[in-house]
Amino acid sequence: MMKDSSYNIDNIIVEGSDLYIVLDQRKNWITKAISGKQFHCHKGFFDYDDIIGKPYGSRVETNKSATLSIYKPLPSDYLSKLTHSSQIIYPKDAGLILMNTGIAPGSKVIETGTGSGALTSILATYVKTDGHVFTYEIREEAFNTSTKNIQRLGLESYVTIKNKDASLGFDETNADAVVLDLGDPCEVIPHAHTSLKYSGTIAVFLPTYNQVEKVYTKLQEFHFGEIKAIELIKREMQLKVNAIRPNTRMIGHTGFLIFARKLYQEGEECR
Ligand SMILES: C[S@@+](CC[C@H](N)C(=O)[O-])C[C@H]1O[C@@H](n2cnc3c(N)ncnc32)[C@H](O)[C@@H]1O
């Protein structure tokens, strides 16, 4: 086998490895490598045994001579394949949440609503293996879908999903971060304040301007500091030699994000 610095044991496809299989920009799949079985698509099939033992980044030919690239799935690849009934967070917004909340391995995070568990899965990927995400979802259907999605991604050890109304409060305290993506975040901000540790961060995803104003006012009422609001606009590029330019179509709006940090008030009991 070839040996170089980009070739190490963590990078080898083994029995049960998650695979991101790419034919082209539009046709791609997430599956698992199972010895003795085959991967099938409209361009033919290949045996998983042909790639087990090879590094991620390998290519394989189907019986119909189509070339498929095999990658290690990224959080954004998993996101694109999740079953969802409610609007899920976009990777660009999830990235901004991670950067501005400081969520990292070991973090204790509270989230609501869970929805399909898309954002939950990203948060869990970043807090593992010592951290945990406690997520609240009021609708039973969404609770069931998100539970299945989190299990499918193998993240259940890092996530506790509760079928509960977050406006009644959180069971957890001393959280490093609280992330809100639900219809009325103002109802939950007082509970977020109680559950956060001092200097802990809150992130609120909001689709409209009037909600930004309401949340801003509420965060001030609860004496949060470092309040900032961000809209991140993403433009993808057409990659075609002699015609490199932004795509003509784009998603014009996803939402706004408000971030803030919990201040310590002189005289409060220290948490
Ligand atoms: C837009 S979805 C969240 C999507 C999620 N961020 C994702 O990426 O999949 C909003 C969710 O909040 C839930 N929700 C609304 N009010 C709630 C409450 N008071 N407590 C818990 N969940 C609530 C809704 O049922 C819905 O599933």
Side-chain angles (χ1 to χ4, degrees):
M1 245 184 230
M2 166 189 65
K3 270 211 162 178
D4 66 34
S5 56
S6 60
Y7 193 90
N8 63 53
I9 198 78
D10 295 341
N11 217 22
I12 303 293
I13 299 164
V14 296
E15 165 78 17
S17 289
D18 281 354
L19 308 173
Y20 178 53
I21 302 180
V22 179
L23 173 66
D24 56 36
Q25 276 202 327
R26 272 191 265 160
K27 283 284 172 200
N28 45 62
W29 303 265
I30 288 189
T31 181
K32 278 191 191 297
I34 310 286
S35 181
K37 299 221 163 172
Q38 293 167 334
F39 172 81
H40 285 258
C41 68
H42 64 296
K43 295 279 186 183
F45 69 86
F46 70 87
D47 294 316
Y48 286 120
D49 286 318
D50 292 347
I51 57 164
I52 289 177
K54 291 197 174 162
Y56 280 108
S58 294
R59 274 172 291 189
V60 65
E61 273 208 3
T62 68
N63 64 320
K64 290 186 181 171
S65 302
T67 303
L68 302 173
S69 307
I70 317 282
Y71 299 102
K72 191 179 233 177
L74 299 174
S76 54
D77 302 326
Y78 287 116
L79 263 201
S80 66
K81 305 293 175 200
L82 279 189
T83 313
H84 60 95
S85 51
S86 52
Q87 180 57 56
I88 63 170
I89 203 85
Y90 283 80
K92 72 172 178 77
D93 295 316
L96 202 59
I97 291 171
L98 292 170
M99 286 306 291
N100 284 277
T101 52
I103 291 170
S107 294
K108 179 177 181 180
V109 179
I110 301 173
E111 182 207 19
T112 186
T114 320
S116 311
L119 181 55
T120 316
S121 71
I122 296 187
L123 300 175
T125 301
Y126 284 86
V127 303
K128 72 180 193 186
T129 52
D130 294 334
H132 205 86
V133 180
F134 299 88
T135 182
Y136 289 68
E137 173 54 55
I138 198 166
R139 284 186 302 122
E140 196 177 345
E141 186 206 343
F143 168 80
N144 292 333
T145 306
S146 55
T147 302
K148 277 190 206 131
N149 281 336
I150 293 298
Q151 282 168 353
R152 249 184 62 205
L153 300 177
L155 292 167
E156 62 273 25
S157 312
Y158 317 108
V159 177
T160 303
I161 310 179
K162 302 186 179 189
N163 188 193
K164 279 187 169 180
D165 180 352
S167 69
L168 302 177
F170 299 120
D171 304 326
E172 300 73 27
T173 52
N174 237 356
D176 296 292
V178 174
V179 182
L180 306 181
D181 177 10
L182 75 170
D184 191 356
C186 285
E187 283 188 337
V188 182
I189 287 172
H191 306 307
H193 186 266
T194 305
S195 291
L196 275 172
K197 58 169 68 158
Y198 294 116
S199 193
T201 49
I202 182 166
V204 191
F205 181 82
L206 301 160
T208 63
Y209 283 117
N210 64 318
Q211 282 176 306
V212 173
E213 183 158 21
K214 282 187 194 157
V215 167
Y216 173 53
T217 308
K218 196 76 178 175
L219 290 170
Q220 282 185 313
E221 192 188 314
F222 278 79
H223 306 292
F224 276 94
E226 283 281 291
I227 306 176
K228 57 183 172 187
I230 301 174
E231 179 184 15
L232 186 64
I233 296 171
K234 175 179 143 187
R235 226 159 42 135
E236 286 203 20
M237 302 279 282
Q238 167 180 284
L239 286 176
K240 201 162 146 192
V241 174
N242 292 326
I244 301 218
R245 57 162 174 76
N247 283 342
T248 46
R249 287 170 189 230
M250 65 184 276
I251 293 166
H253 176 66
T254 59
F256 309 104
L257 275 159
I258 288 211
F259 298 99
R261 293 192 222 175
K262 177 167 167 172
L263 282 169
Y264 172 61
Q265 304 289 325
E266 218 41 67
E268 272 184 287
E269 194 187 318
C270 205
R271 275 200 285 271

